[in-house]
mmCIF file of all heavy atoms in Angstrom:
data_model
loop_
_atom_site.group_PDB
_atom_site.id
_atom_site.type_symbol
_atom_site.label_atom_id
_atom_site.label_comp_id
_atom_site.label_asym_id
_atom_site.label_seq_id
_atom_site.Cartn_x
_atom_site.Cartn_y
_atom_site.Cartn_z
ATOM 1 N N PRO D 1 -22.413 -7.516 1.231
ATOM 2 C CA PRO D 1 -23.072 -7.890 -0.017
ATOM 3 C C PRO D 1 -24.472 -7.342 -0.114
ATOM 4 O O PRO D 1 -25.084 -6.933 0.871
ATOM 5 C CB PRO D 1 -23.095 -9.419 0.030
ATOM 6 C CG PRO D 1 -22.060 -9.802 1.048
ATOM 7 C CD PRO D 1 -22.033 -8.683 2.052
ATOM 8 N N GLY D 2 -24.985 -7.309 -1.339
ATOM 9 C CA GLY D 2 -26.380 -6.875 -1.539
ATOM 10 C C GLY D 2 -26.575 -5.388 -1.595
ATOM 11 O O GLY D 2 -27.699 -4.897 -1.406
ATOM 12 N N ASN D 3 -25.501 -4.639 -1.857
ATOM 13 C CA ASN D 3 -25.597 -3.193 -1.877
ATOM 14 C C ASN D 3 -25.189 -2.610 -3.267
ATOM 15 O O ASN D 3 -24.615 -1.525 -3.362
ATOM 16 C CB ASN D 3 -24.748 -2.539 -0.804
ATOM 17 C CG ASN D 3 -25.388 -2.640 0.568
ATOM 18 O OD1 ASN D 3 -26.309 -1.866 0.861
ATOM 19 N ND2 ASN D 3 -24.967 -3.608 1.362
ATOM 20 N N GLY D 4 -25.526 -3.359 -4.308
ATOM 21 C CA GLY D 4 -25.177 -2.929 -5.634
ATOM 22 C C GLY D 4 -23.768 -3.362 -6.029
ATOM 23 O O GLY D 4 -23.110 -4.132 -5.307
ATOM 24 N N THR D 5 -23.324 -2.886 -7.183
ATOM 25 C CA THR D 5 -22.023 -3.372 -7.701
ATOM 26 C C THR D 5 -21.065 -2.210 -8.107
ATOM 27 O O THR D 5 -19.944 -2.491 -8.447
ATOM 28 C CB THR D 5 -22.217 -4.243 -8.928
ATOM 29 O OG1 THR D 5 -22.932 -3.491 -9.961
ATOM 30 C CG2 THR D 5 -23.032 -5.501 -8.577
ATOM 31 N N ASN D 6 -21.543 -0.966 -8.064
ATOM 32 C CA ASN D 6 -20.747 0.163 -8.542
ATOM 33 C C ASN D 6 -19.691 0.548 -7.520
ATOM 34 O O ASN D 6 -20.006 1.129 -6.480
ATOM 35 C CB ASN D 6 -21.654 1.356 -8.883
ATOM 36 C CG ASN D 6 -20.855 2.538 -9.363
ATOM 37 O OD1 ASN D 6 -19.725 2.447 -9.719
ATOM 38 N ND2 ASN D 6 -21.515 3.698 -9.360
ATOM 39 N N LEU D 7 -18.409 0.242 -7.835
ATOM 40 C CA LEU D 7 -17.328 0.581 -6.924
ATOM 41 C C LEU D 7 -16.745 1.965 -7.162
ATOM 42 O O LEU D 7 -16.191 2.594 -6.250
ATOM 43 C CB LEU D 7 -16.194 -0.455 -7.040
ATOM 44 C CG LEU D 7 -16.566 -1.851 -6.534
ATOM 45 C CD1 LEU D 7 -15.480 -2.837 -6.845
ATOM 46 C CD2 LEU D 7 -16.829 -1.836 -5.030
ATOM 47 N N GLY D 8 -16.791 2.427 -8.390
ATOM 48 C CA GLY D 8 -16.294 3.808 -8.639
ATOM 49 C C GLY D 8 -15.446 3.884 -9.894
ATOM 50 O O GLY D 8 -15.314 2.929 -10.673
ATOM 51 N N THR D 9 -14.852 5.065 -10.062
ATOM 52 C CA THR D 9 -14.085 5.400 -11.261
ATOM 53 C C THR D 9 -12.728 5.985 -10.786
ATOM 54 O O THR D 9 -12.706 6.736 -9.824
ATOM 55 C CB THR D 9 -14.796 6.427 -12.116
ATOM 56 O OG1 THR D 9 -16.105 5.940 -12.437
ATOM 57 C CG2 THR D 9 -14.061 6.706 -13.400
ATOM 58 N N ALA D 10 -11.663 5.643 -11.505
ATOM 59 C CA ALA D 10 -10.338 6.158 -11.169
ATOM 60 C C ALA D 10 -9.699 6.747 -12.397
ATOM 61 O O ALA D 10 -9.803 6.214 -13.524
ATOM 62 C CB ALA D 10 -9.475 5.040 -10.596
ATOM 63 N N LEU D 11 -8.954 7.835 -12.198
ATOM 64 C CA LEU D 11 -8.181 8.482 -13.250
ATOM 65 C C LEU D 11 -6.731 8.583 -12.766
ATOM 66 O O LEU D 11 -6.494 9.092 -11.675
ATOM 67 C CB LEU D 11 -8.701 9.863 -13.564
ATOM 68 C CG LEU D 11 -7.876 10.700 -14.582
ATOM 69 C CD1 LEU D 11 -7.810 10.017 -15.943
ATOM 70 C CD2 LEU D 11 -8.448 12.104 -14.672
ATOM 71 N N ASP D 12 -5.801 8.095 -13.567
ATOM 72 C CA ASP D 12 -4.359 8.150 -13.266
ATOM 73 C C ASP D 12 -3.656 8.961 -14.337
ATOM 74 O O ASP D 12 -3.887 8.739 -15.526
ATOM 75 C CB ASP D 12 -3.726 6.775 -13.202
ATOM 76 C CG ASP D 12 -4.317 5.895 -12.142
ATOM 77 O OD1 ASP D 12 -4.752 6.457 -11.110
ATOM 78 O OD2 ASP D 12 -4.307 4.683 -12.300
ATOM 79 N N LEU D 13 -2.804 9.897 -13.889
ATOM 80 C CA LEU D 13 -1.889 10.628 -14.808
ATOM 81 C C LEU D 13 -0.491 10.507 -14.271
ATOM 82 O O LEU D 13 -0.216 10.805 -13.109
ATOM 83 C CB LEU D 13 -2.302 12.126 -14.854
ATOM 84 C CG LEU D 13 -3.722 12.449 -15.312
ATOM 85 C CD1 LEU D 13 -3.973 13.937 -15.155
ATOM 86 C CD2 LEU D 13 -3.978 12.010 -16.733
ATOM 87 N N TYR D 14 0.434 10.027 -15.126
ATOM 88 C CA TYR D 14 1.797 9.887 -14.663
ATOM 89 C C TYR D 14 2.739 9.925 -15.833
ATOM 90 O O TYR D 14 2.383 9.690 -16.984
ATOM 91 C CB TYR D 14 1.974 8.591 -13.814
ATOM 92 C CG TYR D 14 1.595 7.330 -14.517
ATOM 93 C CD1 TYR D 14 2.520 6.534 -15.182
ATOM 94 C CD2 TYR D 14 0.263 6.864 -14.471
ATOM 95 C CE1 TYR D 14 2.150 5.350 -15.796
ATOM 96 C CE2 TYR D 14 -0.122 5.709 -15.086
ATOM 97 C CZ TYR D 14 0.824 4.938 -15.752
ATOM 98 O OH TYR D 14 0.484 3.782 -16.331
ATOM 99 N N GLY D 15 4.008 10.240 -15.506
ATOM 100 C CA GLY D 15 5.044 10.290 -16.521
ATOM 101 C C GLY D 15 6.382 10.173 -15.888
ATOM 102 O O GLY D 15 6.554 10.255 -14.678
ATOM 103 N N TYR D 16 7.418 9.932 -16.750
ATOM 104 C CA TYR D 16 8.778 9.794 -16.200
ATOM 105 C C TYR D 16 9.765 10.475 -17.133
ATOM 106 O O TYR D 16 9.498 10.692 -18.307
ATOM 107 C CB TYR D 16 9.136 8.317 -15.960
ATOM 108 C CG TYR D 16 9.529 7.580 -17.189
ATOM 109 C CD1 TYR D 16 10.849 7.583 -17.633
ATOM 110 C CD2 TYR D 16 8.590 6.876 -17.928
ATOM 111 C CE1 TYR D 16 11.204 6.863 -18.777
ATOM 112 C CE2 TYR D 16 8.951 6.151 -19.070
ATOM 113 C CZ TYR D 16 10.264 6.170 -19.507
ATOM 114 O OH TYR D 16 10.639 5.511 -20.619
ATOM 115 N N TYR D 17 10.913 10.791 -16.544
ATOM 116 C CA TYR D 17 12.054 11.293 -17.312
ATOM 117 C C TYR D 17 13.292 10.484 -16.932
ATOM 118 O O TYR D 17 13.570 10.301 -15.730
ATOM 119 C CB TYR D 17 12.274 12.768 -16.981
ATOM 120 C CG TYR D 17 13.478 13.336 -17.729
ATOM 121 C CD1 TYR D 17 13.375 13.742 -19.059
ATOM 122 C CD2 TYR D 17 14.761 13.458 -17.087
ATOM 123 C CE1 TYR D 17 14.447 14.252 -19.761
ATOM 124 C CE2 TYR D 17 15.835 13.945 -17.792
ATOM 125 C CZ TYR D 17 15.686 14.327 -19.099
ATOM 126 O OH TYR D 17 16.773 14.823 -19.776
ATOM 127 N N ALA D 18 13.925 9.949 -17.928
ATOM 128 C CA ALA D 18 15.121 9.126 -17.688
ATOM 129 C C ALA D 18 16.374 9.986 -17.923
ATOM 130 O O ALA D 18 16.661 10.385 -19.050
ATOM 131 C CB ALA D 18 15.155 7.911 -18.615
ATOM 132 N N PHE D 19 17.080 10.299 -16.830
ATOM 133 C CA PHE D 19 18.296 11.098 -16.965
ATOM 134 C C PHE D 19 19.376 10.315 -17.761
ATOM 135 O O PHE D 19 20.097 10.835 -18.557
ATOM 136 C CB PHE D 19 18.824 11.485 -15.603
ATOM 137 C CG PHE D 19 17.949 12.459 -14.883
ATOM 138 C CD1 PHE D 19 16.931 11.989 -14.028
ATOM 139 C CD2 PHE D 19 18.052 13.812 -15.065
ATOM 140 C CE1 PHE D 19 16.094 12.865 -13.358
ATOM 141 C CE2 PHE D 19 17.228 14.671 -14.415
ATOM 142 C CZ PHE D 19 16.252 14.236 -13.533
ATOM 143 N N ASN D 20 19.402 9.003 -17.451
ATOM 144 C CA ASN D 20 20.311 8.065 -18.153
ATOM 145 C C ASN D 20 19.769 6.667 -17.916
ATOM 146 O O ASN D 20 18.752 6.487 -17.215
ATOM 147 C CB ASN D 20 21.749 8.204 -17.638
ATOM 148 C CG ASN D 20 21.873 8.019 -16.154
ATOM 149 O OD1 ASN D 20 21.441 6.987 -15.600
ATOM 150 N ND2 ASN D 20 22.416 9.024 -15.451
ATOM 151 N N PRO D 21 20.367 5.648 -18.496
ATOM 152 C CA PRO D 21 19.800 4.290 -18.294
ATOM 153 C C PRO D 21 19.730 3.806 -16.848
ATOM 154 O O PRO D 21 19.008 2.863 -16.537
ATOM 155 C CB PRO D 21 20.775 3.402 -19.128
ATOM 156 C CG PRO D 21 21.334 4.330 -20.126
ATOM 157 C CD PRO D 21 21.463 5.654 -19.442
ATOM 158 N N ASN D 22 20.434 4.476 -15.952
ATOM 159 C CA ASN D 22 20.482 4.040 -14.570
ATOM 160 C C ASN D 22 19.650 4.842 -13.593
ATOM 161 O O ASN D 22 19.424 4.431 -12.463
ATOM 162 C CB ASN D 22 21.943 4.039 -14.073
ATOM 163 C CG ASN D 22 22.843 3.135 -14.899
ATOM 164 O OD1 ASN D 22 23.604 3.631 -15.744
ATOM 165 N ND2 ASN D 22 22.726 1.854 -14.721
ATOM 166 N N PHE D 23 19.177 6.004 -14.021
ATOM 167 C CA PHE D 23 18.477 6.894 -13.080
ATOM 168 C C PHE D 23 17.300 7.547 -13.793
ATOM 169 O O PHE D 23 17.471 8.140 -14.879
ATOM 170 C CB PHE D 23 19.436 7.920 -12.535
ATOM 171 C CG PHE D 23 18.791 8.857 -11.528
ATOM 172 C CD1 PHE D 23 18.345 8.392 -10.287
ATOM 173 C CD2 PHE D 23 18.585 10.205 -11.825
ATOM 174 C CE1 PHE D 23 17.734 9.259 -9.380
ATOM 175 C CE2 PHE D 23 18.018 11.043 -10.935
ATOM 176 C CZ PHE D 23 17.556 10.578 -9.709
ATOM 177 N N ASP D 24 16.127 7.484 -13.153
ATOM 178 C CA ASP D 24 14.946 8.163 -13.711
ATOM 179 C C ASP D 24 14.105 8.699 -12.565
ATOM 180 O O ASP D 24 14.240 8.317 -11.426
ATOM 181 C CB ASP D 24 14.141 7.280 -14.642
ATOM 182 C CG ASP D 24 13.526 6.098 -13.945
ATOM 183 O OD1 ASP D 24 12.776 6.235 -12.961
ATOM 184 O OD2 ASP D 24 13.822 4.935 -14.367
ATOM 185 N N ILE D 25 13.164 9.588 -12.910
ATOM 186 C CA ILE D 25 12.240 10.184 -11.946
ATOM 187 C C ILE D 25 10.827 10.066 -12.508
ATOM 188 O O ILE D 25 10.642 10.254 -13.715
ATOM 189 C CB ILE D 25 12.628 11.630 -11.618
ATOM 190 C CG1 ILE D 25 11.702 12.145 -10.490
ATOM 191 C CG2 ILE D 25 12.563 12.517 -12.858
ATOM 192 C CD1 ILE D 25 12.187 13.486 -9.903
ATOM 193 N N GLN D 26 9.875 9.721 -11.646
ATOM 194 C CA GLN D 26 8.493 9.557 -12.102
ATOM 195 C C GLN D 26 7.605 10.459 -11.215
ATOM 196 O O GLN D 26 7.799 10.553 -9.996
ATOM 197 C CB GLN D 26 8.060 8.119 -11.982
ATOM 198 C CG GLN D 26 6.649 7.872 -12.521
ATOM 199 C CD GLN D 26 6.284 6.382 -12.449
ATOM 200 O OE1 GLN D 26 5.315 6.046 -11.730
ATOM 201 N NE2 GLN D 26 6.962 5.557 -13.169
ATOM 202 N N LEU D 27 6.602 11.100 -11.838
ATOM 203 C CA LEU D 27 5.660 11.961 -11.176
ATOM 204 C C LEU D 27 4.258 11.498 -11.526
ATOM 205 O O LEU D 27 3.981 11.231 -12.700
ATOM 206 C CB LEU D 27 5.887 13.411 -11.597
ATOM 207 C CG LEU D 27 4.914 14.450 -11.056
ATOM 208 C CD1 LEU D 27 5.050 14.613 -9.540
ATOM 209 C CD2 LEU D 27 5.119 15.786 -11.763
ATOM 210 N N GLY D 28 3.380 11.414 -10.556
ATOM 211 C CA GLY D 28 2.033 10.947 -10.869
ATOM 212 C C GLY D 28 0.981 11.598 -9.953
ATOM 213 O O GLY D 28 1.271 12.055 -8.857
ATOM 214 N N TYR D 29 -0.275 11.597 -10.469
ATOM 215 C CA TYR D 29 -1.416 12.073 -9.699
ATOM 216 C C TYR D 29 -2.585 11.183 -10.009
ATOM 217 O O TYR D 29 -2.782 10.790 -11.157
ATOM 218 C CB TYR D 29 -1.746 13.524 -10.029
ATOM 219 C CG TYR D 29 -2.493 14.242 -8.933
ATOM 220 C CD1 TYR D 29 -1.858 15.024 -8.017
ATOM 221 C CD2 TYR D 29 -3.871 14.125 -8.789
ATOM 222 C CE1 TYR D 29 -2.535 15.687 -6.997
ATOM 223 C CE2 TYR D 29 -4.586 14.761 -7.796
ATOM 224 C CZ TYR D 29 -3.877 15.537 -6.892
ATOM 225 O OH TYR D 29 -4.569 16.155 -5.874
ATOM 226 N N SER D 30 -3.369 10.831 -8.966
ATOM 227 C CA SER D 30 -4.509 9.940 -9.171
ATOM 228 C C SER D 30 -5.719 10.476 -8.420
ATOM 229 O O SER D 30 -5.631 11.107 -7.386
ATOM 230 C CB SER D 30 -4.173 8.534 -8.696
ATOM 231 O OG SER D 30 -3.956 8.483 -7.319
ATOM 232 N N TRP D 31 -6.866 10.153 -8.998
ATOM 233 C CA TRP D 31 -8.169 10.461 -8.401
ATOM 234 C C TRP D 31 -8.995 9.159 -8.340
ATOM 235 O O TRP D 31 -8.893 8.367 -9.265
ATOM 236 C CB TRP D 31 -8.980 11.441 -9.242
ATOM 237 C CG TRP D 31 -8.396 12.819 -9.349
ATOM 238 C CD1 TRP D 31 -8.786 13.928 -8.617
ATOM 239 C CD2 TRP D 31 -7.418 13.296 -10.240
ATOM 240 N NE1 TRP D 31 -8.059 15.033 -9.027
ATOM 241 C CE2 TRP D 31 -7.222 14.660 -10.046
ATOM 242 C CE3 TRP D 31 -6.653 12.630 -11.245
ATOM 243 C CZ2 TRP D 31 -6.310 15.410 -10.761
ATOM 244 C CZ3 TRP D 31 -5.747 13.393 -11.987
ATOM 245 C CH2 TRP D 31 -5.584 14.759 -11.725
ATOM 246 N N PHE D 32 -9.713 8.973 -7.268
ATOM 247 C CA PHE D 32 -10.663 7.851 -7.190
ATOM 248 C C PHE D 32 -12.001 8.362 -6.660
ATOM 249 O O PHE D 32 -12.074 8.826 -5.546
ATOM 250 C CB PHE D 32 -10.126 6.750 -6.237
ATOM 251 C CG PHE D 32 -10.789 5.410 -6.444
ATOM 252 C CD1 PHE D 32 -10.084 4.342 -6.977
ATOM 253 C CD2 PHE D 32 -12.102 5.208 -6.088
ATOM 254 C CE1 PHE D 32 -10.687 3.128 -7.190
ATOM 255 C CE2 PHE D 32 -12.742 3.976 -6.331
ATOM 256 C CZ PHE D 32 -12.009 2.923 -6.846
ATOM 257 N N TRP D 33 -13.000 8.254 -7.526
ATOM 258 C CA TRP D 33 -14.365 8.670 -7.148
ATOM 259 C C TRP D 33 -15.144 7.417 -6.781
ATOM 260 O O TRP D 33 -15.459 6.588 -7.654
ATOM 261 C CB TRP D 33 -15.025 9.377 -8.324
ATOM 262 C CG TRP D 33 -14.301 10.634 -8.706
ATOM 263 C CD1 TRP D 33 -14.432 11.879 -8.110
ATOM 264 C CD2 TRP D 33 -13.368 10.805 -9.772
ATOM 265 N NE1 TRP D 33 -13.615 12.763 -8.733
ATOM 266 C CE2 TRP D 33 -12.961 12.159 -9.784
ATOM 267 C CE3 TRP D 33 -12.836 9.911 -10.738
ATOM 268 C CZ2 TRP D 33 -12.035 12.662 -10.712
ATOM 269 C CZ3 TRP D 33 -11.928 10.423 -11.663
ATOM 270 C CH2 TRP D 33 -11.544 11.786 -11.622
ATOM 271 N N PHE D 34 -15.481 7.243 -5.498
ATOM 272 C CA PHE D 34 -16.141 6.063 -5.044
ATOM 273 C C PHE D 34 -17.583 5.969 -5.533
ATOM 274 O O PHE D 34 -18.305 6.978 -5.625
ATOM 275 C CB PHE D 34 -16.118 5.969 -3.520
ATOM 276 C CG PHE D 34 -14.723 5.743 -2.976
ATOM 277 C CD1 PHE D 34 -14.031 6.770 -2.355
ATOM 278 C CD2 PHE D 34 -14.136 4.523 -3.123
ATOM 279 C CE1 PHE D 34 -12.756 6.538 -1.857
ATOM 280 C CE2 PHE D 34 -12.842 4.305 -2.644
ATOM 281 C CZ PHE D 34 -12.134 5.311 -2.019
ATOM 282 N N GLY D 35 -18.018 4.739 -5.822
ATOM 283 C CA GLY D 35 -19.361 4.530 -6.351
ATOM 284 C C GLY D 35 -20.360 4.227 -5.222
ATOM 285 O O GLY D 35 -20.046 4.292 -4.049
ATOM 286 N N SER D 36 -21.597 3.874 -5.649
ATOM 287 C CA SER D 36 -22.693 3.727 -4.736
ATOM 288 C C SER D 36 -22.453 2.591 -3.721
ATOM 289 O O SER D 36 -22.932 2.647 -2.569
ATOM 290 C CB SER D 36 -23.990 3.478 -5.460
ATOM 291 O OG SER D 36 -23.893 2.379 -6.356
ATOM 292 N N TYR D 37 -21.768 1.520 -4.102
ATOM 293 C CA TYR D 37 -21.502 0.429 -3.146
ATOM 294 C C TYR D 37 -20.726 0.920 -1.954
ATOM 295 O O TYR D 37 -21.059 0.626 -0.808
ATOM 296 C CB TYR D 37 -20.745 -0.699 -3.853
ATOM 297 C CG TYR D 37 -20.343 -1.817 -2.908
ATOM 298 C CD1 TYR D 37 -21.194 -2.868 -2.585
ATOM 299 C CD2 TYR D 37 -19.064 -1.798 -2.274
ATOM 300 C CE1 TYR D 37 -20.818 -3.858 -1.711
ATOM 301 C CE2 TYR D 37 -18.694 -2.794 -1.399
ATOM 302 C CZ TYR D 37 -19.557 -3.821 -1.115
ATOM 303 O OH TYR D 37 -19.183 -4.820 -0.226
ATOM 304 N N ILE D 38 -19.656 1.655 -2.212
ATOM 305 C CA ILE D 38 -18.828 2.195 -1.133
ATOM 306 C C ILE D 38 -19.634 3.220 -0.298
ATOM 307 O O ILE D 38 -19.597 3.239 0.945
ATOM 308 C CB ILE D 38 -17.557 2.828 -1.644
ATOM 309 C CG1 ILE D 38 -16.716 1.794 -2.406
ATOM 310 C CG2 ILE D 38 -16.737 3.491 -0.526
ATOM 311 C CD1 ILE D 38 -16.199 0.673 -1.557
ATOM 312 N N GLU D 39 -20.403 4.072 -0.962
ATOM 313 C CA GLU D 39 -21.173 5.094 -0.247
ATOM 314 C C GLU D 39 -22.206 4.454 0.683
ATOM 315 O O GLU D 39 -22.511 4.996 1.762
ATOM 316 C CB GLU D 39 -21.888 5.977 -1.272
ATOM 317 C CG GLU D 39 -20.909 6.853 -2.060
ATOM 318 C CD GLU D 39 -21.614 7.599 -3.214
ATOM 319 O OE1 GLU D 39 -22.832 7.350 -3.413
ATOM 320 O OE2 GLU D 39 -20.946 8.383 -3.890
ATOM 321 N N ARG D 40 -22.735 3.311 0.324
ATOM 322 C CA ARG D 40 -23.773 2.641 1.156
ATOM 323 C C ARG D 40 -23.156 1.849 2.269
ATOM 324 O O ARG D 40 -23.784 1.689 3.346
ATOM 325 C CB ARG D 40 -24.608 1.716 0.288
ATOM 326 C CG ARG D 40 -25.504 2.430 -0.723
ATOM 327 C CD ARG D 40 -26.118 1.429 -1.659
ATOM 328 N NE ARG D 40 -26.908 2.094 -2.697
ATOM 329 C CZ ARG D 40 -27.331 1.508 -3.824
ATOM 330 N NH1 ARG D 40 -27.045 0.234 -4.025
ATOM 331 N NH2 ARG D 40 -27.994 2.173 -4.677
ATOM 332 N N THR D 41 -21.985 1.250 2.065
ATOM 333 C CA THR D 41 -21.467 0.288 3.029
ATOM 334 C C THR D 41 -20.231 0.734 3.813
ATOM 335 O O THR D 41 -19.994 0.249 4.918
ATOM 336 C CB THR D 41 -21.115 -1.033 2.299
ATOM 337 O OG1 THR D 41 -20.085 -0.803 1.364
ATOM 338 C CG2 THR D 41 -22.349 -1.608 1.614
ATOM 339 N N ALA D 42 -19.422 1.631 3.237
ATOM 340 C CA ALA D 42 -18.219 2.094 3.898
ATOM 341 C C ALA D 42 -17.966 3.537 3.489
ATOM 342 O O ALA D 42 -16.988 3.828 2.810
ATOM 343 C CB ALA D 42 -17.046 1.230 3.562
ATOM 344 N N PRO D 43 -18.859 4.455 3.897
ATOM 345 C CA PRO D 43 -18.800 5.849 3.405
ATOM 346 C C PRO D 43 -17.450 6.490 3.667
ATOM 347 O O PRO D 43 -16.854 6.327 4.755
ATOM 348 C CB PRO D 43 -19.908 6.547 4.181
ATOM 349 C CG PRO D 43 -20.824 5.475 4.606
ATOM 350 C CD PRO D 43 -19.963 4.277 4.840
ATOM 351 N N ARG D 44 -16.961 7.220 2.691
ATOM 352 C CA ARG D 44 -15.699 7.931 2.811
ATOM 353 C C ARG D 44 -15.638 8.985 1.666
ATOM 354 O O ARG D 44 -16.347 8.885 0.707
ATOM 355 C CB ARG D 44 -14.510 6.970 2.714
ATOM 356 C CG ARG D 44 -14.428 6.308 1.376
ATOM 357 C CD ARG D 44 -13.460 5.136 1.371
ATOM 358 N NE ARG D 44 -14.033 4.017 2.173
ATOM 359 C CZ ARG D 44 -13.363 2.926 2.464
ATOM 360 N NH1 ARG D 44 -12.115 2.785 2.054
ATOM 361 N NH2 ARG D 44 -13.921 1.950 3.144
ATOM 362 N N GLY D 45 -14.754 9.953 1.840
ATOM 363 C CA GLY D 45 -14.605 10.910 0.787
ATOM 364 C C GLY D 45 -13.779 10.370 -0.369
ATOM 365 O O GLY D 45 -13.009 9.431 -0.215
ATOM 366 N N ASP D 46 -14.010 10.913 -1.559
ATOM 367 C CA ASP D 46 -13.203 10.526 -2.696
ATOM 368 C C ASP D 46 -11.715 10.763 -2.402
ATOM 369 O O ASP D 46 -11.363 11.672 -1.638
ATOM 370 C CB ASP D 46 -13.619 11.257 -3.945
ATOM 371 C CG ASP D 46 -15.064 10.951 -4.364
ATOM 372 O OD1 ASP D 46 -15.500 9.803 -4.080
ATOM 373 O OD2 ASP D 46 -15.705 11.809 -4.954
ATOM 374 N N SER D 47 -10.833 9.990 -3.003
ATOM 375 C CA SER D 47 -9.451 10.074 -2.691
ATOM 376 C C SER D 47 -8.621 10.633 -3.847
ATOM 377 O O SER D 47 -8.927 10.400 -5.004
ATOM 378 C CB SER D 47 -8.889 8.688 -2.276
ATOM 379 O OG SER D 47 -8.882 7.822 -3.395
ATOM 380 N N THR D 48 -7.617 11.386 -3.496
ATOM 381 C CA THR D 48 -6.609 11.892 -4.455
ATOM 382 C C THR D 48 -5.237 11.689 -3.875
ATOM 383 O O THR D 48 -5.073 11.678 -2.640
ATOM 384 C CB THR D 48 -6.814 13.384 -4.802
ATOM 385 O OG1 THR D 48 -6.655 14.143 -3.606
ATOM 386 C CG2 THR D 48 -8.180 13.619 -5.385
#
């Protein structure tokens, strides 16, 4: 505690295709840019 409140920003892109009512496939990609709270207390690289 006491290291600010900014956790970060995330972007999600995803979609699906339904071959039929019983079978579908989903594809997705996500980014997470960590904010100053994480950088100060648990440093790590942004995640994808």
Side-chain angles (χ1 to χ4, degrees):
N3 282 283
T5 60
N6 180 15
L7 292 173
T9 306
L11 174 64
D12 298 330
L13 302 174
Y14 56 95
Y16 79 88
Y17 178 81
F19 293 92
N20 56 55
N22 301 102
F23 181 67
D24 64 57
I25 185 168
Q26 185 178 116
L27 175 68
Y29 203 96
S30 66
W31 294 261
F32 198 111
W33 298 278
F34 291 107
S36 56
Y37 174 86
I38 299 296
E39 292 171 356
R40 292 171 185 165
T41 63
R44 63 193 71 186
D46 296 332
S47 68
T48 61

